[in-house]
Amino acid sequence: MLRFEKYQGTGNDFVIFEMSELDGLQHSLLAQKVCNRRFGIGADGMIVVAPSKVATMQMIFYNADGSIATMCGNGIRCFAKYATDHELVKTKVFTVETLAGILTLEIIESDDLTSLVRVNMGSAIYQHESVPLPGDGDKFINQMLEVDGVPYTVSSLVMGTIHTVLFMDNIDEEAAARIGAAIENHPLYPNKTNVNLCKVVDSKNIDVLTWEKGVGITLACGTGSAACALLSQDLYDCETSVTVHVKGGNLLMERVGEEIYMTGPATLICKGQYLYN
Ligand SMILES: N[C@H](CCC[C@H](N)C(=O)O)C(=O)O
């Protein structure tokens, strides 16, 4: 039996295990099993809490399909609550090693069920193996991408993980699913891509709906929301502090120079024993 805890951050939900309890288990296969919403616990992703030689702790993140992801914004807030509540970290500000680099987090406030966590998401990476190289060789911003014969204007960057953003006047689940699935697997993206539909409501508010690679539509995506906030500021003159409205709640994105700080909740749902077979 494996001890687990389940958390959610603005409706993006995760099963958390400690590395020390997963001896000999194949993480990718375990992620597929525990994330299955009928035959498993059910979650968008699986988080493994591990020690680190270069940061306070290490977060290893898997999508529901078992693929590993370099970062997870909602997930790292849940990781932070878990690590704090289990006294794996003793300070309000600490660092977490991820495949996207070392991030600094701060527990703003906390009770038994929910913590408010602020994460320095870092800055966007525009030239990266996961990002298509545009004609001008600079940034893949406002580029034309054809999906099923329909041209879309897209922007792609790495904000912890690869994100592609489409700005639209109206966003809905049908469009997110159709366009998301097609662009996730578009040959232009060697490592696939997460796909975000974004509506600029006003200079301080945007709506975001995300199709996550390796998962599908989720109620929220922290890294995707940060990518959309940054592009909304650069392309649509949104203010440096933007509230991102996602299906599962709201995330505050504050820009300092080229860095984005995300503040949002992390909530414990349940604790249990997973009967792995
Ligand atoms: N839900 C996550 C993003 C997961 C990204 C993952 N789908 C991938 O890059 O493969 C977030 O809150 O940032």
Side-chain angles (χ1 to χ4, degrees):
M1 290 199 289
L2 299 175
R3 187 179 62 82
F4 77 90
E5 294 189 5
K6 187 169 175 191
Y7 287 74
Q8 60 84 9
T10 51
N12 208 188
D13 59 346
F14 311 98
V15 174
I16 299 184
F17 293 109
E18 290 196 31
M19 173 74 96
S20 56
E21 304 197 15
L22 301 182
D23 278 353
L25 293 180
Q26 219 274 1
H27 291 182
S28 172
L29 187 58
L30 179 63
Q32 292 173 63
K33 285 176 172 281
V34 301
C35 291
N36 188 299
R37 295 195 185 277
R38 291 288 184 278
F39 296 100
I41 301 165
D44 292 331
M46 181 181 93
I47 292 172
V48 179
V49 179
S52 169
K53 294 189 172 64
V54 296
T56 313
M57 297 293 297
Q58 179 184 12
M59 176 179 82
I60 309 168
F61 183 84
Y62 295 86
N63 289 310
D65 70 350
S67 61
I68 200 162
T70 48
M71 224 305 262
C72 177
N74 291 315
I76 206 168
R77 296 197 317 271
C78 294
F79 173 100
K81 178 169 182 57
Y82 179 96
T84 304
D85 290 358
H86 288 265
E87 300 183 349
L88 300 177
V89 293
K90 311 271 195 250
T91 54
K92 292 278 186 206
V93 179
F94 53 92
T95 56
V96 178
E97 176 189 356
T98 73
L99 288 177
I102 298 172
L103 279 74
T104 301
L105 292 78
E106 180 181 3
I107 302 289
I108 304 291
E109 61 188 44
S110 214
D111 63 31
D112 289 351
L113 286 185
T114 296
S115 295
L116 189 66
V117 186
R118 189 167 193 253
V119 185
N120 180 349
M121 300 291 280
S123 49
I125 301 172
Y126 295 97
Q127 281 82 29
H128 187 279
E129 60 163 10
S130 299
V131 180
L133 194 61
D136 63 9
D138 185 15
K139 297 178 178 179
F140 201 81
I141 300 294
N142 287 334
Q143 301 286 308
M144 196 57 67
L145 188 68
E146 199 170 284
V147 174
D148 303 333
V150 178
Y152 291 96
T153 301
V154 305
S155 298
S156 299
L157 52 79
V158 169
M159 174 58 72
T161 179
I162 174 68
H163 281 285
T164 295
V165 177
L166 293 80
F167 286 94
M168 297 183 157
D169 294 334
N170 294 296
I171 56 180
D172 64 65
E173 290 216 15
E174 182 283 326
R178 178 170 45 79
I179 298 168
I183 297 182
E184 172 189 359
N185 299 291
H186 193 285
L188 258 184
Y189 296 92
N191 301 318
K192 297 187 175 184
T193 183
N194 297 288
V195 183
N196 303 270
L197 303 191
C198 183
K199 173 179 179 178
V200 178
V201 177
D202 59 36
S203 67
K204 290 182 70 69
N205 295 278
I206 63 175
D207 293 342
V208 174
L209 181 56
T210 304
W211 170 277
E212 282 196 35
K213 72 178 173 76
V215 188
I217 288 182
T218 59
L219 296 185
C221 180
T223 50
S225 295
C228 290
L230 187 130
L231 289 171
S232 299
Q233 292 156 347
D234 286 351
L235 305 177
Y236 295 92
D237 295 329
C238 281
E239 299 188 26
T240 52
S241 175
V242 168
T243 298
V244 183
H245 302 274
V246 291
K247 289 174 76 73
N250 296 334
L251 291 168
L252 176 64
M253 299 290 172
E254 297 164 295
R255 184 164 177 171
V256 180
E258 284 311 303
E259 294 191 323
I260 291 278
Y261 286 78
M262 166 184 67
T263 301
T267 299
L268 170 62
I269 298 171
C270 63
K271 305 181 179 186
Q273 298 283 345
Y274 176 63
L275 307 180
Y276 184 71
N277 53 32

